[in-house]
Amino acid sequence: MKKKILLLTLIGLLTVGGVVSAANLWGTYKGYAKMRITLGGQPILTTGTPAINFQGSTMLPLAALKSAGVSYSYDAKKQTVDLKPAGANLVQATEDVISLGGDGITLTSIAKEVTAVVYFPALYGFDDDWADIDLIFKKLVPLGAEYMRVVYIDDDDEENVIEILTSDYDKFLKGTITDDQLQQLWSTSGPLFDSSDDASAEENLG
């Protein structure tokens, strides 16, 4: 009997020791060991409640899932969270993007923010191509990345970047901001937008 008690005590000490070790590594939150979350090896930064080790299981905040490309909806009355699989969304979005002239979608970490990136080779000139590029941004919204970026390869084989916060574009789609307000939220760079001769390119955004 003494041997059994000693063995159980030893197992208990080892278990507690493991938790303490993890807690010392990333700190604690309300008595629970914090867990570090990475996407493709890059840390996902979330505000508010962190990921924790709860009784041997890793508990993730919804914000972390969103950063990893998993979208969701929350019903407060039913206390229900509906997750939308990232894989299915990504496959469908990729097919849609390719059909519009893009070369596919890359989810990557840029300045520690998950960004959905699409390369779009010029077809008919920016003014005419913008309609399809705008549709591409609509297709990227459900992926839930922090930012969306289209790299437009112009006729001179130069890269031109068009980027926006997904949340800002989503507000436009929901009608909470106007087209004029949206136009102020785009981030652009590249010879197409830097040239005064092509000022109309920026005017078409929105």
Side-chain angles (χ1 to χ4, degrees):
M1 177 63 70
K2 288 183 179 181
K3 288 184 178 179
K4 289 184 179 179
I5 294 175
L6 179 62
L7 179 59
L8 289 173
T9 302
L10 179 59
I11 291 174
L13 288 174
L14 289 174
T15 303
V16 172
V19 172
V20 171
S21 176
N24 288 339
L25 190 58
W26 305 116
T28 60
Y29 177 80
K30 294 187 177 181
Y32 298 101
K34 289 183 181 179
M35 303 295 290
R36 186 170 184 254
I37 315 170
T38 62
L39 178 64
Q42 297 297 320
I44 291 178
L45 303 179
T46 60
T47 58
T49 305
I52 60 170
N53 184 309
F54 179 75
Q55 297 180 355
S57 297
T58 299
M59 311 294 286
L60 299 178
L62 288 175
L65 294 179
K66 183 176 181 180
S67 296
V70 179
S71 59
Y72 64 88
S73 60
Y74 173 63
D75 188 326
K77 291 183 179 179
K78 296 181 180 179
Q79 295 189 344
T80 302
V81 177
D82 180 45
L83 300 179
K84 297 174 177 58
N89 288 346
L90 183 58
V91 170
Q92 184 59 59
T94 300
E95 291 176 354
D96 293 341
V97 164
I98 291 174
S99 71
L100 291 166
D103 71 345
I105 303 170
T106 300
L107 288 175
T108 186
S109 177
I110 300 177
K112 296 183 179 180
E113 301 285 0
V114 178
T115 304
V117 181
V118 173
Y119 283 81
F120 189 100
L123 297 174
Y124 309 107
F126 185 79
D127 290 352
D128 292 325
D129 290 338
W130 172 249
D132 287 335
I133 294 172
D134 190 38
L135 284 174
I136 284 175
F137 279 109
K138 288 181 173 68
K139 301 298 182 182
L140 296 178
V141 170
L143 298 182
E146 291 293 318
Y147 285 87
M148 303 182 296
R149 172 183 294 189
V150 170
V151 180
Y152 184 73
I153 313 298
D154 60 30
D155 293 331
D156 296 322
D157 207 30
E158 297 278 1
E159 293 189 357
N160 302 272
V161 175
I162 312 161
E163 184 175 271
I164 194 167
L165 266 169
T166 302
S167 58
D168 285 340
Y169 196 82
D170 191 41
K171 290 176 185 176
F172 169 70
L173 295 178
K174 292 176 178 177
T176 57
I177 63 174
T178 66
D179 187 82
D180 289 339
Q181 290 173 317
L182 178 67
Q183 190 167 345
Q184 304 304 313
L185 298 173
W186 293 105
S187 175
T188 59
S189 63
L192 181 64
F193 302 103
D194 297 338
S195 172
S196 59
D197 296 334
D198 294 311
S200 60
E202 284 197 341
E203 292 175 1
N204 283 338
L205 299 178

